[in-house]
Amino acid sequence: MARAMRPVVVLMLLATVLFVVDGILDHNYANQPIFDEYKGVGWTSFVFAIANLLMTLAVARGSERTLLGRIALSGFFILERPVTAFVLGDKPVASIAVHFATAVVELIILVGAIRVWRLGHSLVPADMDAMFSLDPAVMATPAMPIVEAPAAPAPRRSSGWLIGLLTLLLALVLVFDGVVADFVPGGRDWGLTGDSSGWLVYLFAVVILVVATRAVHGGSLAPRLLLALALIFFIERSFSPFALRVIDPVLLGLHGLAALIALALALATAAAIREGGDRQRAAHRTHSPAT
């Protein structure tokens, strides 16, 4: 496992360097106070670098939850890097190239991390986090190959209720955000860029509800997709007020509330995934022949 994990960690460190390089290039080109550059979000490249470095250290120490979170972030960065190369204003050619290089690196990280995660779950270890660790001092329990893979169990009733409640609250806050922003029949114009794109919160609400409805009934893909969406919405709700220059206190409060609920949903979903994985591994041990 360590051999498979090591290239992924190295690429995460490379992505951290690329975020820093992009932030420096943008800052030198804009030649403005760092919190005023590129509609007030130019500084986020340095935040992404710090967050990525911390997640890399956690993944290297053997954290399955952090690895899942990093997989979700890779999906976000694959979209965010090419888009922000153009939509935030003029950038130097070198900065645009770094944006796209980072997106390519993130794509490789995504594929590699999913491969490592699937490899880890093809075994039945006593400690899944220990299997993902690069620290040789962390000894993983010898694993047994899976003989028969039963279907992924649904989250326990308490976990399902919590995920459902948090998803419903998030959807309601998103819809209320759209109403307060006057994206209603007869209200402001609807579009795909800038201030006119605020109606997309309705689409966000529908998507998160559909995915959550499937996730609470079990399966392997839907809960992980819900985790990825929750993390993406957490980042989007946290930083979109800076990009769109939102100054209305009610809208700012709704953005902050949605970000907190999305983070809570991500944590609840990650816990349910881990809980389901533990039960599935227990089922594997029960159905596996004695050696």
Side-chain angles (χ1 to χ4, degrees):
M1 284 298 298
R3 180 179 298 178
M5 177 66 78
R6 192 171 292 112
V8 177
V9 172
V10 171
L11 287 171
M12 291 179 187
L13 292 174
L14 175 59
T16 299
V17 174
L18 290 175
F19 281 122
V20 173
V21 171
D22 176 66
I24 294 173
L25 290 173
D26 287 347
H27 178 66
N28 290 342
Y29 183 79
N31 194 26
Q32 297 178 4
I34 191 169
F35 291 106
D36 294 336
E37 295 170 354
Y38 298 102
K39 301 181 181 180
V41 297
W43 54 274
T44 55
S45 291
F46 297 108
V47 175
F48 291 157
I50 295 172
N52 189 52
L53 179 60
L54 294 176
M55 294 193 74
T56 302
L57 295 175
V59 168
R61 289 175 60 86
S63 173
E64 183 191 6
R65 293 185 183 183
T66 308
L67 181 63
L68 288 172
R70 190 59 181 80
I71 289 172
L73 279 181
S74 290
F76 169 74
F77 288 137
I78 289 170
L79 297 175
E80 184 270 345
R81 289 287 90 184
V83 170
T84 55
F86 299 104
V87 302
L88 295 180
D90 293 335
K91 290 179 178 287
V93 175
S95 177
I96 295 175
V98 172
H99 270 254
F100 278 90
T102 308
V104 172
V105 170
E106 290 292 340
L107 177 60
I108 300 173
I109 291 173
L110 177 65
V111 174
I114 292 176
R115 174 177 171 271
V116 170
W117 183 84
R118 288 176 63 89
L119 178 61
H121 278 263
S122 68
L123 306 172
V124 190
D127 186 351
M128 184 64 68
D129 285 343
M131 285 202 62
F132 290 115
S133 177
L134 295 183
D135 187 353
V138 179
M139 299 300 294
T141 302
M144 299 179 296
I146 292 175
V147 175
E148 181 182 359
R156 290 186 178 178
R157 184 176 299 274
S158 58
S159 299
W161 274 106
L162 179 59
I163 291 173
L165 178 60
L166 289 172
T167 303
L168 182 59
L169 287 175
L170 178 58
L172 289 174
V173 172
L174 290 172
V175 170
F176 192 53
D177 182 285
V179 173
V180 171
D182 201 28
F183 286 101
V184 294
R188 62 194 302 177
D189 294 335
W190 296 27
L192 295 175
T193 59
D195 294 340
S196 62
S197 64
W199 65 272
L200 290 174
V201 292
Y202 299 136
L203 180 61
F204 296 163
V206 172
V207 170
I208 198 75
L209 284 172
V210 170
V211 174
T213 300
R214 182 64 188 88
V216 297
H217 289 89
S220 59
L221 177 60
R224 288 161 181 81
L225 181 57
L226 181 62
L227 173 62
L229 287 174
L231 289 172
I232 290 172
F233 288 160
F234 167 67
I235 295 173
E236 188 274 337
R237 292 287 91 184
S238 298
F239 292 107
S240 57
F242 300 100
L244 300 177
R245 301 283 186 174
V246 176
I247 58 175
D248 185 284
V250 176
L251 288 176
L252 286 174
L254 290 172
H255 274 74
L257 179 59
L260 290 175
I261 297 174
L263 180 58
L265 177 60
L267 294 175
T269 306
I273 292 172
R274 180 62 179 272
E275 175 186 278
D278 290 342
R279 284 188 285 154
Q280 190 172 11
R281 288 191 291 273
H284 286 323
R285 288 192 290 270
T286 302
H287 289 85
S288 297
T291 57

